[in-house]
Amino acid sequence: MQSPIRTRVALAGAAALGLLAVFAGPGSAQAAPSANAPADTSVGNVTGFEAAAGSVFTLHAGAAEARVSFVAADTFRIELAPDGKFTEPTGSDIVLPQGKPPAARWKDNGDRYELSTDKVTLRAFKSPLRFALYKADGTQLWSETKPLSWTGDTTTQTLSRGATEQFYGGGMQNGRGNTSHRDQTVQVGVDDNWNDGGHPNSVPFYLSTAGYGVFRNTYAPNTYVFGQPVTASAKEQRFDAYYFAGDAKQVIGDYTQLTGKPFLPPVYGLEPGDSDCYLHNANRGERHTLDALKVADAYRTNDMPNGWMLVNDGYGCGYEDLPETAKGLQNDSMRMGLWTEDGLDKLADQVKAGQRVAKLDVAWVGDGYKHALDGCKAAYQGIEANSDARGFTWAPESWSGAQRCGVQWSGDQSGSWDYIRWQIPTYAGAAMSGLAYTSGDIDGIFGGSPKTYTRDLQWKSFLPTVMTMDGWAASDKQPYQYGEPYTSINRDYLKLKESLLPYMYSYAHEATKTGVGPVRPLALEYPDDPKASTDAAKYEFLSGQDFLVAPVYQDTAVRNGIYLPKGTWIDYWSGRTYQGPATVDGYSAPLDTLPLFVKAGAAVPMWPGIRSYQDRTASSPLAWDVYPQGNSSFQLYEDDGVTRASRTGAFATQRAEVFAPRRGAGDVTVQVGASKGEFTGKQAARPYQLTLHTGSAPSQVEVAGHKLARLGSKAAYDKAATGWFYDPSDRGGVVEVKTSTLRTDKPFEVKLKNTSAVGGRTPGAAVTLAAPAGQELGAGASGTVAVDVTAGTRDATGVQVSLTAPAGWTVTPAAVDRVAAGTTRRVQVGVTPARDAKPGEVTLTANSAYNSGSSQQRIAVSVMPAPPSGDTWASDMAWLTSTNGYGPPERDRSNGESGAADGHTLTLAGKTYAKGIGAHADSDIEVYTGGRCTAFTADVGIDDEINGYGEVAFSVEADGKVLWSSPKVTGASATVPVDVPLAGARHVHLKVTDTNNSKSGDHGDWAAAKFSCA
């Protein structure tokens, strides 16, 4: 039954049969709320039906009223008003105008009404009113197990759960979200918890692998219990939800079509950012806003990318000299940002003075609902209304719709290994709610260490947006502050991020069309992989479709449990290929090595050799990093990067298509299409550089049908304007190609003849290298490093094994005549570190050359200081690692404030000590004893200066075993003597641990700490 005009259908005899009273069966309650209503009231039987022209249907159930409105063929809205009065608390804040609704039809099937479009049918059962959704082919997507229900302040929908159904969403859920929420409870709302388990920037939306998603159109907090059954509740006595049908990407697309597609940041917004207070900073002494320029200059001096700076990031900071600051930053290729602690009243003037970034603050945006969303939109629009730039904001608490105006930032955290761990699933999981840009401060704003900063920066370089915050921790946290090797490693990753801007920017543009952000959980790209939704994939993510990132989140040089889904994956650093699905254990990950894999078939656009996007000129090359396998492609998106002209068509696209064998030998062709479209600054012509990971040398390379010259060495290739070079020692064998300057409006083709797909002509034949963990060398002392050589499907003969080491080291290569196919030989390579080699981890590159190729692998070894040769105070020894709960641990002083050497005399129970260590829980100090010490002695306790506060425990651990631990020690406890036999231990850890979840006063002293050594 269908009518093009408004139709009212009353159930025959309803009044006579008594059905106007709204009951849902035995024990159900009256629908209309009353003072004595029971705790849980369910909607009852349908008593009337109305069909408005086209797409809106109303169902009466006594005093209650439900309304179904179709927005698109696969999107509709269900509202329920228990008292029959519909309200719109969110107004037009979140849901955007959607245009003309689809034609919908209805049918009375006796026990139910069927409301349909060409794609879905919503069944509305009559007795009681209960909904179920089906695809056009009859597949059920969801079904209510009982009617919609409400209490005085909550409405709940209850759905059946499929046997294998998985759930994602809820926005930013700290510590989870990239794996399934099945059997979990997800809270949506602001809880002021920015740590693991909190949910800042949460979103009242979830999606199901059964083929649907739900958005609750409300500012009220939500609770989703993904049990059996599934219950989805909102803290309001009204029900208002939009439903989307399709797979996960379709649902995210439909949800962001409704609430707003993610914005396209300016290109500098995809560069790293820096923030601090520069005016009267209590933590850093008297400063002025223009002092920010000294930091900007330091980024340039250290050859480190940085796209923008917040110059007033600190409560009460304020600013001065804005136009001069903005101009100075621009001279360093940066833009100026401001923290909106005091609101947006002055935004217009600030933008006119040069502000291009606005960071919103929880102190004034309110509870994270309407006020926060309004703030995001106002700041975004304020930048655009007063400049030709694109809006660019950061927010710590937001709501549905904020993806269209800002970056969602997870708030103030303290840097640590655990902080790295729980942040990994957070940002990839948020992408399942249409949040395309989520991030956290590198190594937090408190705590942290050089090593955790470096590890955190590595993987966050594969997020679209990231910043570092200074001024709150014990010392500034710019990436150049830590000395070597950290500064060089940080520079390498920041410049890698910079070179990948064309790749990331293309995905950012894609998000404006699809709603799907660049950072993705494996479950989104591999929905049929049963492990993708589980903890097997929790601590890794995809950056775009081509990079799989598996961060190191423990203090180790080995990463275990890296799950690779179906397909061929290539180690970015070594060129080693893996065939998924597979789990990789024992991955060698020295401090400078982020476990990073590229999917075979990838064609990655890059800008080589730049510190800032502004380094690009009209003659700069575009590079393509190609991993040929089968047929694949990538579409590059380009515009001016800064203005809003792209919104009116000022942009260009260029597609690169790769044609290669599925595996093994054959020709490889890269077809680079014409760049289509125009924008200000577009390159009319440019040279191209291609890196093709073939694992085999081609017989010939042609560009646009012309034979290209083969060059005999890497040095000759680097010097030449055009040509090609095959480097068998680079990542398993790489072909490098340089073209002449070519017009961008014309297509061209690069052809490699008689080469192979990634993995070489004989896949699986390559030798792989590994090394045992925990290898140690002494500075200036001769030693050996073990390298395990594993042959592939063929014997490896004439194997030469060497190591690439730092300057001043000597290496004696080793040779093996033969390694049989499928077997491993351990080879000892002679190594003598330089006499002045600093203690700590060093990355060596193991290299092997053999009969049919070469391979390489980064490995970590540790350089040890000279072990004690006699009795030694712990405070006089080199500390291999030293983490501390507040400020640095002190030598021969109590723990002081945030600086070094600012503590006082060590004092326990009235006794002063000249020697010892002053720490603050949680603390861990590692020293190297080299097996030469027999005992450790000390007096321990909480320093007298704390006046009775604090509660800690002390422990001595060696080579992975706890040798001694104290009872609980308080500020009022007597001094505890320590006398621990070491029995030849090599590494000793002195730990102070908080025992009452309060760090207040936890100043633990290792007084008179001494090692007795031979």
Side-chain angles (χ1 to χ4, degrees):
M1 179 182 293
Q2 181 176 353
S3 174
I5 61 173
R6 183 173 178 85
T7 305
R8 181 177 182 87
V9 178
L11 296 186
L17 294 174
L19 296 179
L20 287 177
V22 184
F23 288 90
S28 64
Q30 187 175 347
S34 64
N36 60 355
D40 192 349
T41 308
S42 296
V43 69
N45 297 342
V46 174
T47 57
F49 176 84
E50 298 172 37
S55 61
V56 180
F57 306 92
T58 303
L59 299 107
H60 299 267
E65 195 166 306
R67 185 164 62 197
V68 177
S69 309
F70 282 91
V71 176
D74 56 2
T75 302
F76 62 91
R77 180 186 190 185
I78 296 178
E79 300 168 88
L80 174 72
D83 61 359
K85 299 176 182 178
F86 294 108
T87 59
E88 293 271 2
T90 65
S92 59
D93 295 346
I94 301 174
V95 175
L96 300 178
Q98 296 297 300
K100 184 179 179 180
R105 55 192 179 274
W106 64 275
K107 182 189 298 183
D108 187 341
N109 267 3
D111 67 333
R112 65 184 184 270
Y113 291 102
E114 293 191 351
L115 317 177
S116 302
T117 68
D118 292 339
K119 292 188 176 181
V120 297
T121 293
L122 180 68
R123 295 181 181 177
F125 294 93
K126 298 177 182 178
S127 300
L129 174 57
R130 183 177 60 83
F131 294 105
L133 180 64
Y134 293 79
K135 291 170 61 176
D137 64 5
T139 303
Q140 181 178 289
L141 301 181
W142 57 259
S143 176
E144 291 180 338
T145 60
K146 66 178 186 179
L148 293 169
S149 62
W150 62 90
T151 64
D153 65 353
T154 301
T155 54
T156 301
Q157 184 176 43
T158 306
L159 304 175
S160 61
R161 188 182 74 177
T164 60
E165 188 175 3
Q166 309 297 331
F167 303 90
Y168 301 87
M172 187 182 286
Q173 297 285 326
N174 285 352
R176 56 183 172 157
N178 70 333
T179 54
S180 177
H181 292 314
R182 185 180 173 93
D183 294 323
Q184 305 295 317
T185 297
V186 172
Q187 299 290 346
V188 172
V190 175
D191 62 352
D192 296 322
N193 179 3
W194 290 345
N195 297 307
D196 191 6
H199 39 88
N201 297 296
S202 52
V203 173
F205 165 87
Y206 73 87
L207 62 82
S208 161
T209 58
Y212 74 92
V214 186
F215 161 60
R216 292 291 281 266
N217 182 31
T218 179
Y219 284 127
N222 283 229
T223 300
Y224 307 138
V225 180
F226 294 110
Q228 176 61 289
V230 173
T231 60
S233 303
K235 294 290 286 184
E236 59 181 356
Q237 202 190 65
R238 59 184 291 276
F239 183 88
D240 188 351
Y242 286 83
Y243 297 84
F244 318 95
D247 63 27
K249 286 187 177 180
Q250 291 170 327
V251 166
I252 293 170
D254 286 346
Y255 162 70
T256 54
Q257 179 65 32
L258 186 77
T259 63
K261 292 286 192 258
F263 75 112
L264 179 62
V267 68
Y268 53 80
L270 300 183
E271 295 179 316
D274 188 286
S275 63
D276 200 354
C277 170
Y278 288 98
L279 188 63
H280 316 312
N281 187 333
N283 295 329
R284 297 291 182 264
E286 182 68 17
R287 297 197 300 184
H288 297 277
T289 305
L290 285 171
D291 288 333
L293 303 185
K294 299 174 185 177
V295 173
D297 290 344
Y299 272 98
R300 182 173 60 182
T301 300
N302 284 280
D303 191 24
M304 287 186 169
N306 194 70
W308 50 277
M309 290 183 67
L310 297 168
V311 298
N312 68 330
D313 207 341
Y315 281 104
C317 184
Y319 57 78
E320 61 190 10
D321 301 319
L322 281 192
E324 296 83 0
T325 303
K327 183 176 180 181
L329 290 175
Q330 289 172 16
N331 291 338
D332 280 322
S333 302
M334 301 179 199
R335 295 296 198 279
M336 184 179 71
L338 292 172
W339 182 37
T340 57
E341 174 200 352
D342 299 321
L344 297 171
D345 293 345
K346 300 176 182 178
L347 183 64
D349 290 338
Q350 293 166 346
V351 173
K352 291 172 184 176
Q355 178 185 2
R356 294 295 181 269
V357 185
K359 179 185 165 191
L360 308 176
D361 184 61
V362 68
W364 73 268
V365 297
D367 61 7
Y369 303 152
K370 177 176 171 55
H371 198 179
L373 184 57
D374 286 348
C376 179
K377 291 187 288 188
Y380 182 89
Q381 292 164 1
I383 291 172
E384 298 200 343
N386 295 282
S387 72
D388 65 352
R390 300 175 201 165
F392 185 55
T393 78
W394 283 57
E397 300 284 6
S398 63
W399 201 245
S400 289
Q403 72 275 0
R404 63 189 188 238
C405 56
V407 175
Q408 281 71 52
W409 159 72
S410 60
D412 297 336
Q413 289 107 14
S414 183
S416 66
W417 293 108
D418 195 55
Y419 160 88
I420 296 174
R421 177 195 60 78
W422 67 255
Q423 286 214 333
I424 300 165
T426 300
Y427 307 129
M432 298 298 261
S433 299
L435 300 181
Y437 308 104
T438 54
S439 191
D441 298 312
I442 299 171
D443 205 31
I445 71 169
F446 310 109
S449 68
K451 187 177 284 189
T452 54
Y453 186 99
T454 295
R455 284 298 196 190
D456 202 35
L457 182 149
Q458 287 175 356
W459 72 272
K460 285 179 176 170
S461 294
F462 285 83
L463 302 179
T465 52
V466 69
M467 72 171 165
T468 189
M469 182 180 285
D470 312 296
W472 294 79
S475 59
D476 281 349
K477 288 196 165 193
Q478 288 94 1
Y480 53 78
Q481 294 282 8
Y482 298 101
E484 297 298 343
Y486 309 104
T487 295
S488 291
I489 298 170
N490 294 342
R491 178 187 300 111
D492 288 345
Y493 280 90
L494 289 173
K495 295 193 82 171
L496 176 59
K497 176 177 177 61
E498 197 74 14
S499 70
L500 287 169
L501 277 176
Y503 175 82
M504 190 63 74
Y505 196 60
S506 296
Y507 272 103
H509 174 259
E510 179 182 295
T512 69
K513 305 299 181 184
T514 66
V516 179
V519 172
R520 306 168 181 194
L522 268 63
L524 185 62
E525 295 294 341
Y526 300 90
D528 297 327
D529 187 327
K531 287 192 174 181
S533 63
T534 71
D535 284 357
K538 186 171 185 177
Y539 297 113
E540 59 194 68
F541 63 92
L542 297 167
S543 187
Q545 292 179 310
D546 294 326
F547 288 102
L548 188 150
V549 184
V552 175
Y553 55 91
Q554 297 171 314
D555 190 2
T556 177
V558 175
R559 176 63 153 87
N560 293 317
I562 302 172
Y563 180 69
L564 303 177
K566 183 179 180 180
T568 302
W569 296 89
I570 301 94
D571 185 327
Y572 187 78
W573 311 109
S574 71
R576 179 177 177 179
T577 61
Y578 296 83
Q579 196 63 41
T583 298
V584 178
D585 290 320
Y587 181 92
S588 180
L591 182 61
D592 65 354
T593 304
L594 168 72
L596 180 64
F597 301 83
V598 188
K599 189 174 183 180
V604 179
M606 303 179 74
W607 286 339
I610 61 169
R611 186 188 71 85
S612 165
Y613 80 94
Q614 296 183 57
D615 294 342
R616 298 277 297 171
T617 68
S619 59
S620 293
L622 177 68
W624 288 94
D625 193 25
V626 180
Y627 298 77
Q629 184 186 77
N631 299 340
S632 58
S633 66
F634 188 94
Q635 180 162 291
L636 171 70
Y637 171 85
E638 299 176 283
D639 60 27
D640 66 27
V642 177
T643 76
R644 304 187 294 277
S646 60
R647 298 178 191 171
T648 54
F651 63 87
T653 59
Q654 186 177 36
R655 180 175 294 276
E657 296 183 275
V658 183
F659 302 92
R662 286 298 305 169
R663 58 186 281 129
D667 295 345
V668 172
T669 301
V670 181
Q671 294 179 349
V672 180
S675 178
K676 300 177 181 179
E678 297 294 334
F679 60 90
T680 301
K682 179 183 175 181
Q683 291 175 290
R686 60 187 170 204
Y688 292 83
Q689 298 174 5
L690 290 88
T691 302
L692 300 108
H693 300 256
T694 61
S696 61
S699 62
Q700 183 173 307
V701 175
E702 296 177 354
V703 175
H706 299 286
K707 183 178 178 180
L708 203 62
R710 180 173 187 173
L711 300 166
S713 68
K714 185 66 165 63
Y717 174 82
D718 290 341
K719 186 176 180 180
T722 65
W724 70 276
F725 172 67
Y726 177 70
D727 190 345
S729 65
D730 184 10
R731 292 164 287 175
V734 170
V735 182
E736 296 190 69
V737 179
K738 284 182 183 177
T739 76
S740 60
T741 299
L742 301 172
R743 289 174 55 175
T744 55
D745 63 347
K746 300 292 183 183
F748 68 94
E749 180 177 280
V750 177
K751 189 163 189 174
L752 281 64
K753 294 186 175 180
N754 303 313
T755 182
S756 63
V758 65
R761 293 189 176 93
T762 308
V767 161
T768 58
L769 304 177
Q775 299 192 75
E776 297 176 349
L777 296 167
S782 59
T784 60
V785 171
V787 178
D788 292 335
V789 181
T790 301
T793 56
R794 293 183 175 181
D795 291 359
T797 59
V799 180
Q800 299 285 327
V801 182
S802 186
L803 294 166
T804 302
W809 292 42
T810 60
V811 175
T812 304
V816 177
D817 291 338
R818 176 176 173 271
V819 181
T823 67
T824 300
R825 290 279 300 274
R826 176 160 291 180
V827 179
Q828 300 289 342
V829 180
V831 181
T832 303
R835 288 186 176 276
D836 60 352
K838 293 181 179 179
E841 181 186 301
V842 176
T843 299
L844 306 178
T845 301
N847 307 288
S848 69
Y850 51 98
N851 59 313
S852 58
S854 64
S855 56
Q856 58 186 190
Q857 178 65 56
R858 297 183 184 188
I859 62 174
V861 299
S862 295
V863 176
M864 295 293 107
S869 57
D871 291 355
T872 303
W873 297 109
S875 57
D876 293 339
M877 298 175 70
W879 294 349
L880 298 182
T881 59
S882 57
T883 59
N884 207 50
Y886 183 75
E890 300 278 12
R891 298 175 186 267
D892 304 327
R893 294 171 179 265
S894 67
N895 187 88
E897 299 301 324
S898 60
D902 59 0
H904 303 103
T905 301
L906 292 164
T907 307
L908 295 176
K911 180 179 179 180
T912 61
Y913 295 81
K915 304 295 292 182
I917 299 172
H920 189 295
D922 291 327
S923 175
D924 182 357
I925 297 169
E926 178 188 5
V927 297
Y928 180 68
T929 54
R932 294 189 180 180
C933 299
T934 57
F936 171 75
T937 57
D939 291 341
V940 299
I942 292 179
D943 197 281
D944 289 354
E945 66 184 0
I946 302 305
N947 296 322
Y949 290 100
E951 184 179 304
V952 302
F954 295 80
S955 63
V956 178
E957 301 179 14
D959 300 337
K961 297 180 180 179
V962 178
L963 303 184
W964 172 88
S965 59
S966 75
K968 179 178 69 176
V969 177
T970 72
S973 298
T975 303
V976 178
V978 183
D979 189 350
V980 181
L982 296 180
R986 297 175 61 83
H987 290 260
V988 177
H989 289 259
L990 307 179
K991 293 187 175 182
V992 184
T993 306
D994 168 63
T995 57
N996 65 350
N997 295 317
S998 172
K999 300 295 195 293
S1000 177
D1002 286 352
H1003 286 221
D1005 292 347
W1006 296 91
K1010 179 188 288 186
F1011 289 91
S1012 300
C1013 310

